[in-house]
Amino acid sequence: MISLEVNKLQPEAHLSALVPQSDLSGTISFKIDFSFPVLFLDSITLDALRLAYKKSDRRIRIKYTIKLYKINAFGNKTLREISFAKKWVLYWTRDPTILEKYRTNIWMLGVNKEGYAEFFNDFEEAKKFIFKFSETVTIAASELGVGPSNVNASVKAKIWHHTFAEAGTIMAKAEPVTVSVIKD
Amino acid sequence: MISTQVDKEIKQQDEKPIKMTQSICPECNRIIQAQIFERDSKVFMRKTCPVHGETEELYFGDYDMYRRFSAYWDDGKKQEAPNVKMDKCQCPTNCGLCTNHLSHTGLANIIITNRCDLTCWYCFFYVKKGLEGAYVYEPTLEQIRGMVKTLRAERPVPGNSVQITGGEPTMRDDLPEIIKIIREEGVEHVQLNTNGVNLALHPELAKIYKKAGVSNLYMSFDGVTARTNPKNHWEAPYAIEACRSANLGVVLVPTVIKGVNDHETYDIIKYAKQNIDVVRAVNFQPVSLTGRMSKKEREKYRITIPDVIKRIEELSEGEIARDDWYPVPSCSPVTHFIEAITTRKQYELSIHFACGAGTYVYLDKKTNRLVPITRFVDVNGLVEFLDEVSDEINSGSNKYLQLARVALKIRGFVDKSKEPDGLDLGKLLFDVLFKHDYSSMGRLQMNSLFLGMMHFQDKYNHDEERLQRCDIHYLTPDMRIIPFCSFNVIPEWYRDRIQKKYGMPVEEWEKLHHEKLEDRLYRGQLRKQAIKEGVGQTCLVNEMLSGITG
């Protein structure tokens, strides 16, 4: 079993402005997409999870921190910093369809950032739930000021020690986007 | 016929599948697939037996609560020394506990007799004279010691909590000796499940049992009126008084049936509040529908944990709301934290989230209102924080630095401005987390009322995922440990078979003991006396009701 060194991974983050222009009294929404690298996703197999379960390694928690900031010539201005956790709980399923499809009795349910469970019947869907996200952040246009602004986002993902991964933090920085605020 | 089919199809269009599981056919016990799905914001189970057809049953009365509760799912530690070795999981057959059972014993029941001093028509658990194959089951002291030894041999966590049950266990004159045996074997918590009648008639028994080592009484209490609580309405106040004198805690146990006593759930809590010096908890048990029942009948009486929680919210006008309740496995982050710092496997409540729920309420002496713990403790924040600290320690962080972090931060989760007068929960939490012993847990509960829910299964809503995680078990003379919902849900495989094997025919028991089974039946003396003296209609009931309205 290979235990991945998470710190060495290069994840990807992508930032887009849903509406790139707004009045001063309006709002601007940004969409931030993030994913763990393919190398990491490929290493999360049902065999790896079965072993984790056997070793009582049954809760996988990832803490994400998104920082949205305006790029200024004299330093950046933080617009929003949002933290949330997503979880997997590994459990012994009695679902005959899972047993038949994946030949495993160890399955997972997700816990979203609001603390509610998500149930899956597809493994890729379950991986997408925890290792990827798409988050929309809305700010008041007045926070940027009149004129064009360069805005960027960074994402930090922290994972703790598991049988299939070393503890570590990975960071990704998106490409900046330009938005424009006009007077009312 | 056609319109029924159309109705069914329309209904199914509004369904959202959640997951699949395994269940049993309520007619023939065949293991079959079952679908869990949402409809009208409720969760249902549907299963089809190839011989006996389809069964649809309400599984959990609120979908939102189902998703919130299931987030605390936590499989337990399994058995390191199973009594029944199994390669494949075949619940509910061969329970014992087997290799595949996921929870260690949280509470072990020992039936010491199936005789009872009451003859409640709805009870399936006492020996009924005259029935063919009626057996008196009373394990010997040696057998009881053997059962407790089996419990203590559980690994990785030896069983530490026993409930003495029946029938009516106070029918056995050697009960103090039984209690002592259980304590001698190292069990710290011994609970006595009783209808309270004998304690009402002979108050000195409370002191005798307490001295022998009983921790608390677990007393049936189905309502605050004679109509809803025919079992011990007249006797319960006397039994509580006997326990008060003996300084013996009481847990009130109402079985909740829709349309029968669900309208009194909050009154029961108020009655407990009035006796908070001696009543430690109320543990509501939504009814388990045993025997054959039509769908219509089941719909009439079926009530699930969320339904009871919502009923209490409605009746208490939000004093105890739905968000104040957490599923039993929500305790796991505390266990995991203690395990991370001690590196020893700890006692854990890893039952299925749909089996039980609870909350703590504290009496604010200024306002005389009950304040749920969630109103002044950031429970979600605390759970998240403990999860993170455990993760840090398990990832190699310095344990002592993390402990210092907890010590510094723990009181921050308590809002002192909203904390009930005279309570210092921050300190109590500190003691539980750092001393992590039985007495710290006890002190946490001393100043409060624990409100619990425990929904035992029946053949209609039986879910093997729940059974596999059950931690309320029965100890049997053949040295097995059998989950509650196998033992009682399929009595023909477990309870009845064991009682027949280790019991004796009623006639034989009567000959041996020179008494008739009916000799010790309770004839309602206290009720008759109360009515005769007019006390029942005045003092006793008024006292009860003043407790409720007060």
Side-chain angles (χ1 to χ4, degrees):
Chain A
M1 172 57 58
I2 300 163
S3 188
L4 271 181
E5 286 186 57
V6 174
N7 288 332
K8 291 182 180 169
L9 298 173
Q10 293 290 318
E12 278 181 23
H14 182 257
L15 176 71
S16 56
L18 294 177
V19 183
Q21 189 173 310
S22 167
D23 296 339
L24 192 57
S25 58
T27 57
I28 294 184
S29 293
F30 297 93
K31 191 169 156 234
I32 301 138
D33 296 298
F34 174 85
S35 173
F36 268 73
V38 174
L39 179 66
F40 181 86
L41 297 178
D42 286 348
S43 74
I44 309 294
T45 62
L46 287 169
D47 280 342
L49 297 180
R50 230 184 336 247
L51 185 69
Y53 183 90
K54 205 173 166 186
K55 296 195 169 184
S56 300
D57 180 13
R58 296 186 300 254
R59 285 184 90 82
I60 293 121
R61 207 162 58 89
I62 300 186
K63 191 173 174 184
Y64 291 106
T65 306
I66 303 170
K67 196 168 162 185
L68 185 74
Y69 57 94
K70 180 181 171 183
I71 302 168
N72 286 330
F74 307 104
N76 301 331
K77 179 194 170 191
T78 302
L79 299 167
R80 289 287 183 282
E81 190 167 305
I82 303 162
S83 282
F84 57 89
K86 281 186 165 195
K87 293 175 206 170
W88 259 2
V89 180
L90 303 184
Y91 70 100
W92 184 320
T93 181
R94 302 298 293 263
D95 183 338
T97 56
I98 301 289
L99 295 169
E100 198 176 306
K101 187 175 170 187
Y102 291 103
R103 304 260 158 222
T104 181
N105 60 340
I106 303 306
W107 197 240
M108 70 295 301
L109 65 84
V111 181
N112 65 22
K113 58 184 184 170
E114 286 82 25
Y116 285 82
E118 306 272 352
F119 293 93
F120 314 106
N121 47 29
D122 180 85
F123 188 40
E124 289 310 311
E125 189 196 338
K127 284 211 266 188
K128 196 173 155 190
F129 167 83
I130 190 166
F131 298 118
K132 295 181 180 186
F133 70 75
S134 195
E135 195 70 16
T136 302
V137 181
T138 301
I139 62 165
S142 58
E143 291 183 61
L144 294 169
V146 175
S149 296
N150 285 328
V151 174
N152 203 355
S154 67
V155 177
K156 204 162 77 173
K158 185 169 184 181
I159 186 166
W160 283 268
H161 173 76
H162 294 284
T163 51
F164 50 84
E166 292 301 326
T169 303
I170 53 172
M171 283 191 68
K173 204 164 150 183
E175 287 295 315
V177 294
T178 304
V179 292
S180 182
V181 177
I182 51 171
K183 275 188 183 173
D184 289 336
Chain B
M1 187 67 189
I2 292 169
S3 76
T4 311
Q5 184 59 31
V6 171
D7 285 350
K8 195 176 168 186
E9 279 171 17
I10 290 171
K11 249 185 176 181
Q12 292 193 356
Q13 279 172 8
D14 297 332
E15 291 171 3
K16 183 184 158 194
I18 301 172
K19 66 204 292 284
M20 298 288 290
T21 185
Q22 286 176 311
S23 181
I24 52 170
C25 168
E27 291 289 329
C28 65
N29 300 337
R30 180 197 288 249
I31 301 170
I32 50 177
Q33 293 188 16
Q35 187 178 39
I36 309 287
F37 63 92
E38 182 258 336
R39 187 176 66 222
D40 302 331
S41 303
K42 293 176 181 176
V43 179
F44 294 85
M45 170 185 270
R46 185 186 295 123
K47 53 193 176 181
T48 306
C49 171
V51 179
H52 299 101
E54 185 184 287
T55 308
E56 186 184 292
E57 196 65 21
L58 179 67
Y59 181 90
F60 210 66
D62 187 284
Y63 177 56
D64 196 54
M65 222 180 281
Y66 178 92
R67 284 186 63 213
R68 185 166 79 82
F69 277 22
S70 50
Y72 292 94
W73 193 307
D74 184 42
D75 279 2
K77 298 177 168 68
K78 287 193 80 182
Q79 299 299 312
E80 284 175 9
N83 298 326
V84 178
K85 293 204 168 120
M86 301 273 289
D87 288 336
K88 280 182 79 179
C89 199
Q90 290 172 0
C91 308
T93 62
N94 297 307
C95 286
L97 297 167
C98 85
T99 321
N100 302 306
H101 199 77
L102 293 173
S103 298
H104 65 77
T105 303
L107 179 70
N109 284 283
I110 303 180
I111 302 167
I112 61 165
T113 180
N114 61 350
R115 288 184 295 133
C116 189
D117 48 0
L118 298 179
T119 52
C120 305
W121 61 269
Y122 49 84
C123 180
F124 52 85
F125 220 110
Y126 70 93
V127 56
K128 290 181 178 112
K129 196 175 174 181
L131 283 186
E132 197 186 334
Y135 287 82
V136 176
Y137 167 80
E138 287 187 349
T140 63
L141 297 181
E142 289 72 31
Q143 282 173 323
I144 290 170
R145 192 182 287 279
M147 289 188 234
V148 183
K149 278 185 190 291
T150 309
L151 174 73
R152 297 295 291 159
E154 259 191 63
R155 293 293 180 273
V157 181
N160 194 24
S161 189
V162 164
Q163 172 166 271
I164 301 170
T165 188
E168 170 52 41
T170 61
M171 299 280 282
R172 267 185 80 155
D173 298 332
D174 58 355
L175 178 55
E177 208 172 330
I178 292 170
I179 298 163
K180 280 180 199 159
I181 287 173
I182 297 168
R183 295 300 294 253
E184 277 166 18
E185 292 301 324
V187 173
E188 283 188 279
H189 183 88
V190 180
Q191 179 168 285
L192 180 62
N193 185 2
T194 175
N195 57 35
V197 168
N198 267 332
L199 282 110
L201 293 171
H202 312 286
E204 68 282 3
L205 285 175
K207 282 181 185 151
I208 294 168
Y209 297 153
K210 164 95 177 175
K211 199 177 164 204
V214 157
S215 314
N216 67 275
L217 230 64
Y218 197 72
M219 191 173 74
S220 174
F221 189 82
D222 293 339
V224 296
T225 56
R227 183 187 287 267
T228 52
N229 184 19
K231 195 189 282 180
N232 62 2
H233 171 72
W234 309 95
E235 296 76 15
Y238 293 106
I240 289 172
E241 196 49 48
C243 291
R244 181 176 278 121
S245 302
N247 192 25
L248 182 61
V250 178
V251 177
L252 300 180
V253 191
T255 298
V256 187
I257 307 172
K258 189 167 88 176
V260 173
N261 64 346
D262 57 326
H263 62 287
E264 286 188 12
T265 45
Y266 183 53
D267 288 340
I268 295 169
I269 294 172
K270 284 197 282 185
Y271 182 69
K273 178 177 97 173
Q274 193 65 20
N275 293 287
I276 201 164
D277 60 313
V278 61
V279 175
R280 306 271 182 260
V282 183
N283 201 16
F284 294 97
Q285 295 184 349
V287 67
S288 169
L289 301 175
T290 54
R292 276 190 194 155
M293 285 182 100
S294 68
K295 192 173 182 203
K296 205 173 165 190
E297 268 184 305
R298 298 197 313 268
E299 282 172 350
K300 185 178 171 193
Y301 297 122
R302 171 73 73 198
I303 192 162
T304 67
I305 287 175
D307 304 316
V308 181
I309 288 175
K310 287 194 278 189
R311 201 77 170 101
I312 292 170
E313 178 181 63
E314 176 197 333
L315 293 164
S316 72
E317 294 175 340
E319 188 179 355
I320 303 159
R322 70 187 73 185
D323 290 342
D324 296 323
W325 297 81
Y326 281 77
V328 170
S330 64
C331 305
S332 286
V334 177
T335 310
H336 296 162
F337 167 75
I338 295 170
E339 285 178 341
I341 57 174
T342 60
T343 62
R344 272 202 316 271
K345 290 191 175 170
Q346 303 284 334
Y347 182 91
E348 184 176 33
L349 297 171
S350 54
I351 60 170
H352 191 276
F353 69 89
C355 293
T359 186
Y360 281 101
V361 290
Y362 292 82
L363 180 64
D364 189 322
K365 286 173 186 160
K366 271 186 192 165
T367 60
N368 197 33
R369 281 176 70 85
L370 293 171
V371 184
I373 191 169
T374 48
R375 309 296 171 90
F376 57 95
V377 176
D378 172 11
V379 177
N380 292 341
L382 179 63
V383 163
E384 196 64 33
F385 174 65
L386 290 176
D387 264 346
E388 186 163 320
V389 171
S390 305
D391 276 343
E392 287 289 350
I393 296 171
N394 293 333
S395 298
S397 275
N398 184 300
K399 187 161 83 177
Y400 298 102
L401 279 179
Q402 290 300 327
L403 279 174
R405 189 178 156 211
V406 174
L408 281 172
K409 236 183 143 179
I410 192 82
R411 285 171 185 256
F413 291 100
V414 181
D415 185 344
K416 290 295 286 180
S417 67
K418 293 179 183 164
E419 194 173 36
D421 205 32
L423 181 69
D424 189 354
L425 197 73
K427 186 182 178 308
L428 284 171
L429 280 175
F430 183 91
D431 287 350
V432 167
L433 293 175
F434 287 87
K435 295 183 181 167
H436 46 86
D437 60 10
Y438 183 69
S439 61
S440 304
M441 276 307 292
R443 278 198 305 283
L444 179 67
Q445 291 167 20
M446 281 300 280
N447 300 301
S448 72
L449 201 57
F450 174 75
L451 302 180
M453 302 268 166
M454 183 56 60
H455 194 178
F456 295 113
Q457 303 189 83
D458 48 57
K459 287 188 178 181
Y460 300 102
N461 60 10
H462 200 76
D463 179 357
E464 303 309 340
E465 282 189 346
R466 286 181 61 184
L467 180 64
Q468 201 181 359
R469 289 158 179 81
C470 173
D471 79 350
I472 300 184
H473 302 151
Y474 279 89
L475 305 179
T476 57
D478 56 358
M479 305 304 161
R480 283 192 294 161
I481 303 174
I482 299 169
F484 189 104
C485 289
S486 287
F487 193 82
N488 288 318
V489 173
I490 316 178
E492 59 272 35
W493 291 358
Y494 297 102
R495 189 184 69 216
D496 295 352
R497 196 179 280 185
I498 287 161
Q499 296 199 357
K500 186 175 178 185
K501 186 174 175 187
Y502 294 96
M504 63 174 79
V506 173
E507 300 72 30
E508 197 181 321
W509 183 89
E510 288 182 332
K511 211 171 160 188
L512 191 71
H513 290 82
H514 309 291
E515 64 172 295
K516 295 281 175 197
L517 205 56
E518 58 271 27
D519 287 350
R520 293 221 221 167
L521 280 182
Y522 174 60
R523 310 281 179 187
Q525 294 95 307
L526 291 170
R527 174 175 53 84
K528 286 174 191 164
Q529 183 188 320
I531 290 170
K532 191 176 163 191
E533 292 171 5
V535 174
Q537 303 305 323
T538 55
C539 302
L540 193 66
V541 173
N542 283 348
E543 190 185 311
M544 227 173 176
L545 293 174
S546 73
I548 291 160
T549 50

